[in-house]
Amino acid sequence: MDKLSVIIPAFNEGRRIAPTIDRILGEIARWRPCEILVVDDGSTDATRDIVTGMARDGLPVRLLCQDRNKGKGAALRLGVGES
């Protein structure tokens, strides 16, 4: 079975990103192999550090970064290109 890629565009989501990833993994990982691609859209908070820590802990999470805020569409395009 192919792995499902879930793309999360994120801009300053430090407070919400870990619970969001945990909920997604809790639902999807039960029935299908998956990866979560978090596309940081130029955040100025701890979003990148949190996602990097989760990946380091062995969760199927990858962080993709844009150098500045380019909007949700650009973040989604980057995520789809990497999936």
Side-chain angles (χ1 to χ4, degrees):
M1 176 181 290
D2 290 329
K3 186 183 333 180
L4 175 69
S5 295
V6 177
I7 302 164
I8 302 174
F11 177 70
N12 290 338
E13 295 293 335
R15 291 180 40 204
R16 292 179 290 270
I17 197 68
T20 299
I21 291 169
D22 288 340
R23 277 193 305 273
I24 291 169
L25 289 175
E27 293 298 321
I28 295 174
R30 290 186 289 162
W31 54 271
R32 185 167 186 175
C34 69
E35 68 174 346
I36 296 179
L37 303 174
V38 177
V39 182
D40 181 83
D41 193 24
S43 294
T44 58
D45 68 355
T47 300
R48 291 179 186 195
D49 295 334
I50 293 166
V51 174
T52 299
M54 294 180 86
R56 203 171 318 147
D57 289 343
L59 295 175
V61 178
R62 278 199 292 156
L63 176 66
L64 308 170
C65 297
Q66 300 193 121
D67 58 346
R68 61 182 174 79
N69 186 279
K70 297 178 182 177
K72 188 183 284 187
L76 288 171
R77 282 189 296 280
L78 177 59
V80 168
E82 287 289 323
S83 66

